[in-house]
Amino acid sequence: MADILIIGSGIAAYTSALELSHAGHSVYILSKEDHIGGKIADFSKDTNSCPFVENQTIAALYLGGSIHASATILSSLYLQVINNPSIKLISNSKLVSSLEKTDSFEVKIDLNKQKEISLNVEAILLAQGFEIFDPTEKGEYGYSYYKNVITSTEYEKLLFESKQSLKPLTRPSDKKKIEKIAFIQCVGSRDTTTNSEFCSSICCMYSAKEVILTKEYENKVDIAVFYLDLRECSKNFYSLTEKAQQLNARYIKSMISTVKEDPITENLSIKYLQENIIQEENFDLVVLATGVRANQDNKSLAEILKIELDEFDFIKTSPLNPTATNRKGIFTISSSEKKALEVAETMALVSTATNKINKFLSSEKIITKPRPEKENIQQNIGVFVCKNALNTLNIDDEIIKELKNIPDVSHVFIDEKICTPEKISSFQKNIEEHDLTNILIAPCTLKPALNMFRQKAAEKGINSALVDSIDIFNLYLAKNNDILKFISNTKKAITNLKNSKPLRYNAAPVIQKALIIGASFSGLIAALKLAEKNIPTIIIEKTDYIGGYVFKNKDYIFSAQENEFAANLLEKIKENEFIEIITEAKLISFKGRQGYFKCDILLKDQSIKKHECGAVIVSTGTESFIPNEYLYGKNSNILTLNDALPLINDVSFTNENKIYVFIQCVGSRDNNKPYCSRSCCLDSIKNAIKIKERNPETSIYIIAKTIQTPGQLELEYKKARKLGIIFIFYTDDKKPIIEEQNEKLSLTVFDHVLNKNIEIYSDKVILASAQIPSADAKELADILNIQADKYGFLSETHGEFHTIASPLGGIFVAGSAHEIKTVTDCISHATYIANRALRLLVKPYILLGFTTADVDTDKCAACLTCVRQCPYNVPQISRDKKEMGAAYIDPTECRGCGICTAKCPNKAISLHSYEDEKIFQMINKALEEGSYETTF
C-alpha cells in the first residue's frame, strides 16, 4: 500500500490518518506544534500529570462543535493514533520542499531546525486548519491594554477553571467577582479594514454556547451580546440562541466602535445605539468573539506544493469538489466557501477526502478477523497503575502497597503514561508473562484509554468484558483526593471484575446490498459511491422524478458548473449496472438487524417487492412549505421563491422598472419551525442581484429577520448592498403587513434604524418559504424504528460525530433528511454516509451479540410477556428445546436493552454482564464502604 503525508495536528488530521491506515496505508502526520489537538484543543507542557484531564483547555469543548463534546473524543483519537503502527507522528516540524515524481512526491521535512529528512509519499492531505484572528489589530477594543478584555478562547479557559475549582467567576485584573459580561461579535470578521470580508461561520454559535454555560453556572450574571447579524445555519443552532435569550441574555443589534476602561475601577464602558438613542453601559468583562484567518502556513505550502489559494489565502477548492486542490495527488480538508467548519462538517469532509485518496490510490478497506481468546479456569487479576494519573489526583505512589493487599489481586504494575506505545508493548508482555485473565486500569479516563486497552488485551486473547478501568474524571473533578475513596473505588472495581463473565460475539452474515430511501441529490451521490465498490443498490422514490428539490429547481438555482455536475451524475447513475431506481414506491414493512434487513416495498401497481439488504440510507430530503400568510394564494402578485424562479429567469420579466420585495423566513425561525432553512437568504440575494444587474433602475427590498450568509457567501450579501438592494430587518412581534391597494401591494414594515414604520408599494412580493422535512419522514422513522425530532428531521446518534440513525448501526441518514444542507454540504455528507455504510457492506460477516439476553428454558413458561414487551420484536416462542414451548432470543438480533429481563415474571431471562448475582455482589461491596482500615 501507499505512503501518505498528512499536514496538521487536529481532529481532521487524526481521523483521516486512522481512516487511511485502516485502508492499509502508512501515514505520516506532520505538525508544526509540539502539542496535539490543533485549534480544537491545546495541552500544557507539564509532563508530570495526566495529559488528558488536568492540562486540557476548555476550548476543546466548544470552539469546534457540540456543547457536549469533551476531551474524551480527542483523547480517544490521539490514543488510537499513537498506538497505531501504521501512523507516525512528526511534531514540531515543517515541510520545506516537495519534488513531484512520476507517481509520488519527494518531500523534505525540517525536524525542529535540527536536521532534515526525506520521504516519498504517493498522496498529500492538507488538514492544517485555520488561525484565530489576533484582536490586537482592532485596537479600539483595548485587547492587550485592558486586562478585562479577553477573547472567547480565553474566556472558555477562565470558565473551565472556575467550574473546576467550584469558585465564582472572577475577572483577570483584580479577581473581582464578575457580575456583568459583554460579548462583542464579528471581531475580525466581515471587516474590510482587516482583509476579512467573509463571515467566520462559527463565532455566533460558540458565543451562544458560552452564554448558556455561563448562565447555567452562575445564573445571576448579566450578559449582553452585541451583534450585527446572527448566523444560525446549522441544526439546532437557532434553538441555542433562543435558549441563551430565555436565560435572560440580552441580544442587542448594534455595532460597537470602542471599549473604554475606567482606570480606577477597571470597569469597561461601551456605548451603543438602541432605538435611535445612544446608551452607555459598564461591564466587568468584555469577551471578543474573534473570527478566523487562513493558516499562516498556507502561503508557504502553496509555494512549495504549487497549489492555488483564494483571495483570503485559504486553500482554493470547488464547491462541487470540496476536498480537491488544483494539483493531482494533493487533497485538502478545508472549505474556501465556509472558512471555518463545525466538527460534523469536518468529519464529513474527512470521509470525502479519504475516499478520494483511496480512489486515487485504488485501495480497499482491510477486513479484520476475530482474534482467538484463551480459556482460563483460574482467575489471575492484574492492576495496571498510571503514575501520571496518580499525580493528577495528588495521590502518592506508596498507595501501591495498599493495592497489593486487596484480596484477589495477583499482580500490580506501576508506570508512567501507560497508554503510550512503549508502555502498551510492556502491558501486552505482562499479560503473557503473568498469564493474566482480568485487568483493571487504575486510574484512567473512562472511555478513550479503556477501549484502547481492551483492544490491546484482546490481541493477547483476553475477552473485552474482563478489562475495566476506574474513571479519573469523577475523582478528579470532585476535588476529593481521598486515598480511602480511591481504595474503595478500586475494591469495588475488583469485585465487579472478578464477577464478570466473558461475553461472546456471534458471527452474523452480511447481505452485501443496500437500500436507499429517497432519490434526492444526496441519495443519488451515496448510491454512486456504493456502486463504485460494486455494492448492488436499490433506490426507491415516492414521486415520479428523481433528484428531489435540488434537481427540480436546478435550472434556476444551479450555476453552469453545478448543472454540468448534475447532468454527469444522472448519466453515471443511469449507466451503472449496480443501481436500480424504482419511482412511485415506498417502504411499508421493515425488520432485521444491521447487516441483514428484510424490506417490503409497495410498488406503483400495488404489488409488493421483497428485498434483503445489509444497510439502509435514508435520504428523503425536504419539501417546500406552503405559506398561509402574507395574502399568499389570494393575490397573483404574491409568489413563493420557487414560483418566481422561472419568471426571474425570463428576461422579459424584469424589462420594466418595477418594485420587488423579498420577504425572508416565511414559515421558518418561528415558534412552529425554529430552524433556519439555510439556502433561502442566498437564493433571494442571488436572484435579486440577477434582477438588479439586468435592470439597474429596478427597486428591490429584502426584508429579513437576519441574513444567513456564512463564510464567503458574505461577499454576495456585500455585492447586493453595493448594487443598491435595500435590506430591512424585522422581528416576530413586528412582522411586515401586506394590503392590496388598487393594482399595487402596500407593504408596511418597522425599520429599526429609522425607528418607525415605513410603507413600500410593490409590484411583486416574493416569499422565501421554508424547507420542511419530507411529509412521510415521521412515518418512515416509525417503520425503521429510529427517531425523528419534533419537526420531522431524522435524528442521529451524535450530532457532531455520527449520522447513524440507529445506535446499533445499519441505518444511516444522509443529506437534508438529517438537517437542511447546501449543495456543497450534501455532496460531502452523502459521501461520508456512503463510506460509513461501506464499512459494513464490504464485510462478509459482522460480530454481534456482545451484551444480550439469554433464556433459561427450564424456568420459561412461554407466557409471551417478553414477546409483547420487546420493542424490537426479537423474542419468539420455539419448541426446539422444550415441548410446551419456550422463548428464544436470537443473540444476533438482541439489542441488550434489558426490558425483557426486567419484565419476565419467572426470572427466566438474564442479561449478560448484568446477572443478578453480580449486581447483588456489587451492592454488598458498596454497602461495605468505610468498613476497612488502611495501613497508612
Coordinates of all heavy atoms in Angstrom, one line a residue, residues 653-660 688 691-701 723-725 763:
F653 N -39.3 39.4 -17.9 CA -40.0 39.7 -16.6 C -39.5 40.9 -15.9 O -40.2 41.6 -15.2 CB -39.7 38.4 -15.7 CG -40.2 38.6 -14.3 CD1 -41.6 38.6 -14.1 CD2 -39.4 38.7 -13.2 CE1 -42.1 38.7 -12.8 CE2 -39.9 38.8 -11.9 CZ -41.3 38.8 -11.7
T654 N -38.2 41.3 -16.2 CA -37.6 42.5 -15.5 C -37.3 43.6 -16.4 O -36.5 44.5 -16.1 CB -36.4 42.0 -14.8 OG1 -35.5 41.4 -15.7 CG2 -36.6 41.1 -13.6
N655 N -38.0 43.7 -17.6 CA -37.7 44.8 -18.5 C -38.2 46.1 -18.0 O -37.6 47.1 -18.2 CB -38.4 44.5 -19.9 CG -37.6 43.6 -20.7 OD1 -36.4 43.4 -20.5 ND2 -38.2 43.0 -21.7
E656 N -39.3 46.1 -17.3 CA -39.9 47.3 -16.8 C -39.3 47.7 -15.4 O -38.8 46.8 -14.7 CB -41.4 47.2 -16.7 CG -42.1 46.9 -18.0 CD -43.6 46.7 -17.8 OE1 -44.1 47.2 -16.8 OE2 -44.3 46.1 -18.6
N657 N -39.3 49.0 -15.1 CA -38.8 49.5 -13.9 C -39.9 49.2 -12.8 O -40.8 50.0 -12.6 CB -38.5 51.0 -13.9 CG -37.4 51.2 -14.9 OD1 -36.6 50.3 -15.3 ND2 -37.3 52.5 -15.4
K658 N -39.7 48.1 -12.1 CA -40.7 47.8 -11.1 C -40.1 47.7 -9.7 O -38.9 47.8 -9.6 CB -41.4 46.4 -11.5 CG -42.2 46.5 -12.7 CD -43.0 45.2 -13.0 CE -43.9 45.3 -14.2 NZ -44.7 44.1 -14.4
I659 N -41.0 47.5 -8.7 CA -40.5 47.3 -7.4 C -40.8 45.9 -6.9 O -41.9 45.4 -7.0 CB -41.2 48.3 -6.4 CG1 -41.0 49.8 -6.9 CG2 -40.8 48.2 -5.0 CD1 -41.8 50.8 -6.2
Y660 N -39.7 45.3 -6.4 CA -39.8 43.9 -5.9 C -39.5 43.8 -4.5 O -38.5 44.5 -4.0 CB -38.9 43.0 -6.7 CG -39.2 42.9 -8.2 CD1 -38.5 43.8 -9.1 CD2 -40.1 42.0 -8.7 CE1 -38.8 43.7 -10.4 CE2 -40.4 42.0 -10.1 CZ -39.7 42.8 -10.9 OH -39.9 42.8 -12.3
A688 N -32.1 38.4 -6.5 CA -32.3 39.9 -6.5 C -31.1 40.6 -7.3 O -31.3 41.5 -8.0 CB -32.3 40.4 -5.1
I691 N -31.8 40.3 -11.0 CA -32.8 41.3 -11.5 C -32.1 42.6 -11.6 O -32.3 43.4 -12.5 CB -34.0 41.3 -10.5 CG1 -34.8 40.0 -10.5 CG2 -34.9 42.5 -10.9 CD1 -35.8 39.9 -9.5
K692 N -31.4 43.0 -10.5 CA -30.7 44.3 -10.4 C -29.7 44.5 -11.5 O -29.6 45.6 -12.1 CB -30.1 44.5 -9.1 CG -29.7 45.9 -8.7 CD -30.9 46.8 -8.5 CE -30.5 48.2 -8.0 NZ -31.7 49.1 -7.8
E693 N -28.9 43.5 -11.8 CA -27.9 43.6 -12.9 C -28.5 43.7 -14.2 O -28.0 44.4 -15.1 CB -26.9 42.4 -12.8 CG -26.0 42.5 -11.6 CD -25.0 41.3 -11.6 OE1 -25.4 40.2 -12.1 OE2 -23.9 41.5 -11.0
R694 N -29.7 43.0 -14.4 CA -30.4 43.1 -15.7 C -31.0 44.4 -15.9 O -31.1 45.0 -17.0 CB -31.4 42.0 -15.7 CG -32.0 41.7 -17.1 CD -33.0 40.6 -17.1 NE -32.4 39.3 -16.7 CZ -33.0 38.3 -16.1 NH1 -34.3 38.4 -15.9 NH2 -32.4 37.2 -15.8
N695 N -31.5 45.0 -14.8 CA -32.2 46.3 -14.9 C -31.9 47.1 -13.7 O -32.6 47.1 -12.6 CB -33.7 46.1 -15.0 CG -34.4 47.4 -15.3 OD1 -33.9 48.5 -15.3 ND2 -35.7 47.4 -15.6
P696 N -30.8 47.9 -13.7 CA -30.4 48.7 -12.5 C -31.4 49.7 -12.0 O -31.3 50.1 -10.8 CB -29.1 49.4 -13.0 CG -28.7 48.7 -14.2 CD -29.9 48.1 -14.8
E697 N -32.4 50.0 -12.8 CA -33.4 51.0 -12.3 C -34.5 50.3 -11.4 O -35.3 51.0 -10.8 CB -34.1 51.7 -13.5 CG -33.1 52.4 -14.4 CD -32.4 53.5 -13.7 OE1 -33.0 54.2 -12.8 OE2 -31.1 53.6 -13.9
T698 N -34.5 49.0 -11.4 CA -35.5 48.3 -10.6 C -35.2 48.5 -9.1 O -34.0 48.5 -8.7 CB -35.4 46.8 -10.9 OG1 -35.7 46.6 -12.3 CG2 -36.4 46.0 -10.1
S699 N -36.2 48.7 -8.3 CA -36.1 48.9 -6.9 C -36.3 47.5 -6.2 O -37.4 46.9 -6.5 CB -37.0 49.9 -6.3 OG -36.7 51.2 -6.8
I700 N -35.4 47.1 -5.4 CA -35.5 45.8 -4.7 C -35.3 45.9 -3.2 O -34.3 46.6 -2.8 CB -34.5 44.8 -5.3 CG1 -34.7 44.6 -6.8 CG2 -34.7 43.4 -4.6 CD1 -33.8 43.7 -7.5
Y701 N -36.2 45.4 -2.4 CA -36.1 45.3 -1.0 C -36.0 43.9 -0.5 O -36.8 43.0 -1.0 CB -37.3 46.0 -0.3 CG -37.4 47.5 -0.7 CD1 -38.1 47.9 -1.8 CD2 -36.9 48.5 0.2 CE1 -38.2 49.2 -2.2 CE2 -37.0 49.8 -0.1 CZ -37.7 50.2 -1.3 OH -37.8 51.5 -1.6
L723 N -25.0 47.1 -4.9 CA -25.9 47.3 -6.1 C -27.1 48.2 -5.8 O -27.8 48.6 -6.7 CB -26.3 46.0 -6.7 CG -25.2 45.2 -7.5 CD1 -25.8 43.8 -7.8 CD2 -24.8 45.9 -8.7
G724 N -27.3 48.5 -4.5 CA -28.4 49.3 -4.1 C -29.6 48.5 -3.7 O -30.7 49.1 -3.5
I725 N -29.5 47.2 -3.5 CA -30.6 46.4 -2.9 C -30.7 46.8 -1.4 O -29.7 46.8 -0.7 CB -30.3 44.9 -3.1 CG1 -30.3 44.6 -4.6 CG2 -31.4 44.1 -2.4 CD1 -29.8 43.2 -4.9
D763 N -44.7 45.9 -6.8 CA -45.4 45.2 -7.9 C -45.5 43.7 -7.7 O -46.4 43.0 -8.0 CB -44.7 45.5 -9.3 CG -44.7 46.9 -9.6 OD1 -45.8 47.4 -10.0 OD2 -43.7 47.6 -9.5

